[in-house]
Amino acid sequence: MRILIDHDRCMGHGQCEIVAAELFRLDEQGMVHLLIEDPTEELRARAELAARRCPEAVIKVLDDEP
Amino acid sequence: MTSVAPATAKCPYAEHPGFPFQRDRSRPLDPPDQFGIFRRERPVSQVTLWDGSKVWLITRYEDAQRVLGDARFSSVPASPGYPLLSPAVAATKRGDPSFLRMDPPKHTDHRRMWTPFFSIRRIQEMRPRIQKIIDTALDEMIARGSPADLVENFALVVPSLVICELLDVPYSDHGFFQTHSKTRFSITATAEEVAAAIEAINGFWRQMIDERERNPGDDLVSQIIVNEVKTGLLTKAELVAMAQLMLAAGHETTANMIALGVLTLLQHPDQLRAIKDDPSLTANAVDELLRYLSIAQNGLGRAAIEDLEVGGQVIRKGEGLLVLLAAANRDEAVFDSPDTFNISRDLKRHVAFGAAIHQCIGSALARAELQMSFDALFARLPNLRLAVPAKDVTYKFDSLFFGVHSLPVAWQ
């Protein structure tokens, strides 16, 4: 699993950090930072919830390429 | 202006009490007491609006997130059951909606046209210009002398200039916009008055858009014309609706928050001293002000497009809901001592900007304007204080957005 973030559209709502603090953190400017780029599968449900909750839809959860 | 008195509820236990409720005038910064009573005792229950329609009030934080996070609770005012809070809100039902009043997938396409202009990165780049606008407004207010009305001299000026700059609208037109947006967001204005206000602003934009279509600049609206209208992704009428919303939202909301925020801080001198001593605390104080004041005072409307459950209550297809952000933001299940103003609490979860796909597109801009305004104001005028007794401050009880009509302040 890989997580992609479209940083140019991030508005710092912070919903991702609320539902998956292991994966996402807002910096002092309020920009989202990805803490783990290729997290383990256990975190998939949380990552996908963060992607769904993001008001700007800037988070994408991708499968590993074969 | 014809006044339509909101039906008031004396007894919160009446089967379907009238809504909006009234604030306790001795504690104007607190939402109506019924918000807390409903949240604790009947968190999802119906009230009656001015037109006799019944609407479900959503008062708990978790239920608010649930409703706002599910697009089957439609944001389209034409959906059967959508609550029309006042005759004025009923008037905004007509005409081309902005994306605020759309559901996916259309909403998604339209909102994404605007998000790049409000991104964290773009707002960071705007900071020096915002700072200049704030400093100039303060210079001019100070030059006019103490005492002064903070609303007219500062709280309205800063967001108006910022949004005018963003949309490249001459500031000389701001009086025109202020007058009309005041009517647009009044819940005591008649439907005709609100429709006329919207039409006046739309007329301005239609002319502006025609000009920019011929001679595009590098402003936001010109870029939308080039990228979206000329390529057929957006109609001109839809662009007018969005531009109108941006301008109105930029005038009303941040201005109310600046003035109410200053008033709240002045009433909590220990916490004000803390942010004066350490401006790194201001950012969190801004979010606490957003939570505590929750100026979208009568909530956000939705309509169920199928039978759905919220907090154990079945909402039928075609029934309306009002998500009371001000009640959710004082939910004791999420915030400790929610009625206490406390700038050092953990605030990540507040819903003052709404939640999910319709969450305020301008939130990063609003946060920047508020934080920079408070820092500059209290640095330049450390002795700032109310120039009238607190009980003489007049409040916008009858507006979609809570605020003060004026805030007389002194600094000498």
Side-chain angles (χ1 to χ4, degrees):
Chain A
M1 171 174 65
R2 272 189 315 127
I3 298 175
L4 285 183
I5 295 179
D6 181 352
H7 288 280
D8 287 338
R9 288 178 188 270
C10 174
M11 231 163 267
H13 298 297
Q15 300 299 310
C16 51
E17 186 180 308
I18 292 171
V19 298
E22 310 93 317
L23 293 172
F24 307 97
R25 184 161 304 154
L26 298 191
D27 66 16
E28 280 174 10
Q29 268 82 49
M31 286 270 287
V32 66
H33 279 260
L34 187 56
L35 300 176
I36 314 170
E37 249 170 70
D38 48 352
T40 55
E41 282 299 314
E42 295 111 70
L43 288 170
R44 178 181 287 272
R46 304 278 286 285
E48 286 176 346
L49 180 62
R52 275 202 305 280
R53 284 272 182 97
C54 173
E56 312 306 335
V58 303
I59 300 168
K60 286 213 161 38
V61 181
L62 305 174
D63 291 323
D64 285 317
E65 277 144 40
Chain B
M1 209 178 276
T2 313
S3 181
V4 178
T8 46
K10 286 269 181 327
C11 170
Y13 300 99
E15 200 185 354
H16 300 304
F19 189 88
F21 302 136
Q22 296 296 309
R23 287 173 194 254
D24 182 331
R25 298 299 202 253
S26 70
R27 292 179 286 107
L29 300 184
D30 287 327
D33 290 339
Q34 289 95 332
F35 282 26
I37 296 169
F38 269 62
R39 188 181 57 240
R40 286 184 292 271
E41 297 174 13
R42 43 192 289 189
V44 183
S45 56
Q46 284 185 308
V47 290
T48 309
L49 299 186
W50 62 282
D51 59 358
S53 62
K54 303 273 185 291
V55 55
W56 294 98
L57 287 190
I58 306 300
T59 54
R60 283 193 302 217
Y61 179 90
E62 280 309 318
D63 296 340
Q65 285 281 6
R66 151 93 182 91
V67 171
L68 298 176
D70 188 337
R72 292 172 299 174
F73 293 106
S74 171
S75 296
V76 178
S79 302
Y82 185 92
L84 301 165
L85 197 58
S86 67
V89 175
T92 62
K93 206 178 149 175
R94 295 193 282 268
D96 296 283
S98 69
F99 58 81
L100 190 65
R101 308 256 177 265
M102 289 176 189
D103 291 334
K106 199 176 176 193
H107 164 269
T108 318
D109 294 343
H110 280 234
R111 179 165 169 135
R112 284 184 81 92
M113 296 173 191
W114 296 82
T115 50
F117 301 101
F118 294 92
S119 70
I120 291 275
R121 206 160 274 179
R122 197 65 74 95
I123 301 309
Q124 284 299 113
E125 290 166 11
M126 279 183 74
R127 277 182 168 254
R129 280 179 292 154
I130 299 172
Q131 191 65 55
K132 209 173 155 201
I133 286 169
I134 290 170
D135 292 342
T136 308
L138 278 177
D139 288 343
E140 289 175 2
M141 182 176 85
I142 291 165
R144 274 182 221 116
S146 170
D149 174 14
L150 191 80
V151 172
E152 184 163 346
N153 288 282
F154 185 72
L156 263 172
V157 176
V158 170
S160 300
L161 279 169
V162 170
I163 200 75
C164 284
E165 183 161 326
L166 197 71
L167 297 171
D168 198 24
V169 170
Y171 188 65
S172 54
D173 290 320
H174 86 284
F176 167 82
F177 290 116
Q178 250 158 33
T179 307
H180 291 301
S181 66
K182 201 170 173 181
T183 308
R184 188 194 184 307
F185 290 117
S186 164
I187 59 172
T188 53
T190 64
E192 290 72 23
E193 286 167 335
V194 172
I198 290 175
E199 184 44 38
I201 300 177
N202 285 353
F204 171 90
W205 275 114
R206 274 193 291 270
Q207 199 183 337
M208 204 67 143
I209 287 165
D210 285 342
E211 278 167 30
R212 288 178 198 187
E213 199 175 14
R214 286 190 297 271
N215 300 304
D218 54 9
D219 63 284
L220 190 161
V221 172
S222 292
Q223 288 181 52
I224 299 252
I225 292 170
V226 171
N227 296 330
E228 319 289 353
V229 178
K230 288 201 169 173
T231 53
L233 296 169
L234 189 70
T235 67
K236 246 194 254 187
E238 286 167 340
L239 175 55
V240 167
M242 293 208 289
Q244 188 254 116
L245 172 74
M246 295 286 162
L247 196 61
H251 270 262
E252 276 293 312
T253 52
T254 314
N256 286 326
M257 273 305 302
I258 291 174
L260 273 181
V262 168
L263 176 62
T264 307
L265 289 167
L266 290 175
Q267 291 178 347
H268 295 85
D270 293 350
Q271 299 190 63
L272 175 56
R273 193 165 316 115
I275 66 169
K276 281 181 187 167
D277 291 347
D278 181 2
S280 75
L281 302 176
T282 311
N284 206 60
V286 163
D287 275 288
E288 173 64 347
L289 287 166
L290 288 161
R291 179 198 73 86
Y292 183 74
L293 298 166
S294 294
I295 61 167
Q297 57 180 340
N298 292 315
L300 304 175
R302 293 291 188 269
I305 57 173
E306 53 187 87
D307 290 359
L308 294 161
E309 198 224 285
V310 180
Q313 175 67 51
V314 175
I315 312 288
R316 298 281 171 205
K317 176 182 175 177
E319 291 182 336
L321 307 87
L322 279 170
V323 181
L324 294 185
L325 304 177
N329 272 339
R330 295 205 182 198
D331 188 337
E332 35 290 275
V334 178
F335 303 101
D336 292 334
S337 308
D339 294 324
T340 305
F341 177 69
N342 173 8
I343 62 166
S344 46
R345 68 169 78 235
D346 178 3
L347 282 158
K348 281 173 196 147
R349 291 165 184 266
H350 79 74
V351 289
F353 288 119
I357 60 168
H358 289 284
Q359 190 161 336
C360 175
I361 197 170
S363 57
L365 177 60
R367 283 192 171 101
E369 287 185 56
L370 291 170
Q371 182 232 311
M372 295 165 80
S373 290
F374 297 139
D375 281 347
L377 187 65
F378 291 113
R380 288 282 295 276
L381 304 171
N383 298 321
L384 193 81
R385 62 190 184 277
L386 276 185
V388 295
K391 65 174 174 49
D392 293 344
V393 173
T394 55
Y395 295 89
K396 296 182 183 177
F397 294 114
D398 295 327
S399 175
L400 286 184
F401 298 107
F402 188 54
V404 289
H405 289 292
S406 65
L407 193 68
V409 291
W411 54 86
Q412 274 166 352

